[in-house]
Structures are given as C-alpha cells and as structure tokens.
Amino acid sequence: MSNLEVGIVGLPNVGKSTLFNAITKAGAEAANYPFCTIEPNVGVVAVPDPRLEILHRMYDSKKTTPATVSFVDIAGLVKGASKGEGLGNKFLEHIRKVDAVAHVVRCFEDSNITHVEGGIDPLRDIGIIQTELCLADLEIVEKRIMKLAKIAKSGSKEAKAEDEILRRIKAALDEGRPARSVELSADDLALIKEMNLLTLKPTLYVANVAEDEVASWEDNAFVRKVQEFAAQEQAEVVVISAKVESEIAELDEAEAKEFLADMGLSESGLDKLIKAAFDLLGLMTFLTAGPDECRAWTIVKGTTAPKAAGKIHTDFERGFIRAEIVGYDDLIAAGSVAAAREKGQVRLEGKDYIMQDGDVTNFRFNV
C-alpha cells in the first residue's frame, strides 16, 4: 500500500464538502509535504507523526517525508444514485477504488443549511447511503452469479465456491445489509477481491457536529444514535466539526495548536480521522533515518522485514540479507544509533522478523 485512499461519502449538505475543502487546504499548507491534487476531487495530506521531526533534528537530515493519506471526495450520492440519479454511477465507480470509506453524517441543527431530506435524522441519512451502495453491489453480484452459472457447468470448483459466497452476500444485500456484515474467511475474500464491492469496504462514521459542540459532543443525542448504530457493525465513530476544521486549515501550525487548546481539544478532527483510518485498515509505519532523508513508510501490521524492505525498493526485498533495527523510543533515550548500539539495542533481524510500529530501520541487501 503506497498511499492509503479514503473515500468521503455522505448526502448533500451534511458538511462533507466543508470537511473535504479543509482537508485539501491542510494538504496545501503542510510545509514538509507538497500538496498535490491528482484530480479535482482528491486531496493528499501528511500523516501526523512527531517522531519524524525529532529524527530530522537528530540526523540533521536534508528533508523529511511523512506517510500520506489521500482523501477522495465522492460527490453526487443522493437517493437513486445506484440508478444514475445525481452523478450516480460515475461516483460509485470512484468509491470502488478506495481502501476505506468515511461516511459523514450531519449531527447538528442549523436553519441556514437546509437538509436534502427536510430534517436532521442521522440514521435515516446512513440508511439512504447504505441502500444506494447495497443496490449498486446487488447489480454487480447478480450479473456475476449469472456468469458463474455457465462456468460452473464445466465443473469448475472455484466457480462453485465463488457462487456460494456471492449467494450469501446477495441474501444480505437483498435485506439492505452491507456485504461486510457477512462472515467471510480470508480465502472467501480473495476469491471475490476483484469485484471491489462497495459495501465490503471497511467503513467508519464521521459525526459532524456544530462548532460549539465539538468539545462537549457527549451531550449530542444525534451522535449517540450514530454510535449505537456503528456499534452493531463494530465500526468506529469519529466526532468532528467540519466548520472548525475549515478554520484550522487557514492557520499556521503554532496558531492551530493555540486555537485547538482554546477549544479544549488535543488534536484536530483531521488527525483523528487519519488515525482512525489507519486503525481501521490495520496499518502502521516504520521509519528510515539518515543525513539525506527521514521518512515514514506505511505497511500493514504483521508485515515481515523483507516485505517492508520491498516498500522502499523491489531490489531491497529481492536481495534482502538482514534488517538493522532499533526501536524509536530506545533510539531517542540513547541519543544516537552509536549509543544505542553500545547498549545492545540495535538488533540484526532476519527474514521472519515481523516489523513493529516505529522501528527505525536500515536494510542490508545484495543484488
């Protein structure tokens, strides 16, 4: 995974565009990461990681390169999108390509911002989006089942196995339940991976509250409803105020910290959202450091040292010999790699080593 992609979905006027604009501004202002817009609806932001700045000072490196997350703004989702309403199908295709979905739900009253459905009801809103995604998946699943019927006649075991999985998913979709509610093994998921089902994507809910509620959202009845719903799916809820995020995006780093402190917040909603997306997908970062560059690399938890080396360059994986590793905390406590080495904290690890978050790593390889 070179760059985590999160699709932002939600009905019109729930604060989705405000949030997305704040995200893209935050990307534009991130001093150490050049903001780039791949398409008008993609914003790339740096993953907050204070460890990089400390390593940068320790190594006096020329540059730091953080891990990044791409947020894809998926507009045009309205009732009937699966049948082409709004910008329908075009945007549903955008969601098929992302790694995870952040579903923005409006949890604030504001007479100046009309709601497309008339009043504020987060569960109804979630239901509308979920129904559209289920219907879009149902169409693809039914087509595939018809195709498999022909292949299965030739006695293909794989086609029969895939057919059985898809029929279980179809039953859930028929009831308006997402594909991720069906119990599927790793082998099952591998068989249907190419289909890129929308409702199979890991999903978290973003409860968008009013500016004056962001520090005391526990009292918000709408948020509680979203949390109760998400709990049934074992999904996470991130509470933010899109309006606050758009204000933070206009400030420099020092001003933003002061602004958050004044509001009684320890971190921005965007930072919370990035962390939640990492957790959702079981991701973590390892670090490389030296005079030229300090860099964070995104990997899936459980990745072995050679696979992590391959993130940097395929040659590193192919010719992997050993990984020289020191834990970030050990390195900082020791003050330098040399001091950590004297303490016996720099380890040589082989092909079976499972990488840990914050491993400061130097790969030895021979091609």
Side-chain angles (χ1 to χ4, degrees):
M1 189 172 293
S2 54
N3 182 21
L4 169 61
E5 280 207 340
V6 179
I8 302 179
V9 303
L11 289 173
N13 286 355
V14 295
K16 194 168 61 70
S17 296
T18 308
L19 174 64
F20 182 74
N21 291 339
I23 286 169
T24 50
K25 275 204 189 108
E29 298 299 330
N32 57 2
Y33 183 74
F35 168 69
C36 61
T37 305
I38 299 152
E39 285 181 44
N41 61 335
V42 179
V44 182
V45 282
V47 174
D49 193 340
R51 298 174 299 192
L52 274 180
E53 190 49 45
I54 293 165
L55 287 175
H56 168 71
R57 288 201 296 271
M58 180 185 273
Y59 284 87
D60 193 23
S61 43
K62 290 176 189 149
K63 67 171 181 172
T64 59
T65 307
T68 59
V69 174
S70 291
F71 285 96
V72 184
D73 182 23
I74 301 176
L77 262 190
V78 292
K79 203 182 273 185
S82 57
K83 298 281 174 276
E85 290 293 325
L87 292 162
N89 297 328
K90 180 182 171 211
F91 285 100
L92 291 170
E93 285 316 304
H94 275 302
I95 314 178
R96 294 206 187 278
K97 297 181 184 125
V98 300
D99 301 300
V101 172
H103 184 159
V104 182
V105 188
R106 179 167 163 179
C107 294
F108 66 91
E109 300 270 12
D110 185 339
S111 56
N112 297 318
I113 305 170
T114 54
H115 190 290
V116 68
E117 290 294 321
I120 309 303
D121 182 348
L123 296 189
R124 174 205 59 213
D125 294 359
I126 290 172
I128 290 170
I129 296 283
Q130 190 140 296
T131 298
E132 292 310 319
L133 300 183
C134 284
L135 288 170
D137 275 353
L138 192 57
E139 195 180 327
I140 281 186
V141 167
E142 285 173 342
K143 278 182 187 164
R144 182 68 185 156
I145 287 172
M146 282 168 70
K147 204 171 183 180
L148 285 169
K150 292 172 188 168
I151 304 168
K153 279 177 186 165
S154 67
S156 162
K157 280 183 184 168
E158 201 169 78
K160 280 181 181 163
E162 189 183 337
D163 180 73
E164 188 270 326
I165 296 161
L166 291 181
R167 285 183 188 280
R168 279 160 54 208
I169 289 173
K170 182 183 180 305
L173 295 171
D174 279 333
E175 292 172 6
R177 288 188 296 116
R180 62 181 176 277
S181 68
V182 180
E183 211 165 294
L184 299 168
S185 69
D187 289 344
D188 294 343
L189 290 168
L191 263 182
I192 60 167
K193 187 173 183 243
E194 296 303 307
M195 294 180 71
N196 263 332
L197 294 178
L198 302 170
T199 63
L200 204 52
K201 302 221 174 265
T203 298
L204 58 88
Y205 295 92
V206 182
N208 182 19
V209 299
E211 192 171 7
D212 57 1
E213 289 186 309
V214 72
S216 57
W217 57 262
E218 289 91 345
D219 304 329
N220 184 312
F222 296 134
V223 173
R224 282 200 297 277
K225 281 185 177 176
V226 175
Q227 286 177 317
E228 283 162 18
F229 175 85
Q232 295 164 12
E233 283 193 7
Q234 277 110 39
E236 190 169 345
V237 178
V238 179
V239 181
I240 65 157
S241 163
K243 192 160 188 304
V244 168
E245 293 308 304
S246 60
E247 286 167 23
I248 292 169
E250 303 285 353
L251 307 172
D252 66 32
E253 200 178 333
E255 289 170 332
K257 273 185 185 161
E258 199 177 314
F259 179 78
L260 286 167
D262 287 348
M263 295 202 75
L265 301 170
S266 58
E267 59 182 343
S268 74
L270 177 55
D271 287 0
K272 282 199 291 187
L273 186 52
I274 290 170
K275 284 180 187 167
F278 259 61
D279 286 345
L280 183 66
L281 291 163
L283 302 177
M284 63 177 209
T285 47
F286 73 92
L287 307 159
T288 52
D292 286 334
E293 183 183 37
C294 288
R295 183 163 180 167
W297 304 86
T298 305
I299 52 172
V300 176
K301 287 174 185 168
T303 298
T304 59
K307 282 270 177 251
K311 289 286 298 181
I312 299 174
H313 199 289
T314 48
D315 284 352
F316 285 26
E317 183 178 356
R318 208 168 64 239
F320 179 88
I321 300 170
R322 286 260 184 275
E324 189 180 77
I325 288 174
V326 55
Y328 171 81
D329 291 338
D330 289 338
L331 175 60
I332 299 309
S336 71
V337 171
R341 191 173 272 115
E342 275 175 31
K343 291 182 171 182
Q345 290 169 328
V346 178
R347 314 181 307 275
L348 283 177
E349 300 287 2
K351 289 183 175 177
D352 296 334
Y353 176 71
I354 304 293
M355 299 293 290
Q356 301 300 308
D357 187 68
D359 276 348
V360 182
T361 311
N362 179 32
F363 292 109
R364 296 183 184 177
F365 68 103
N366 183 20
V367 177

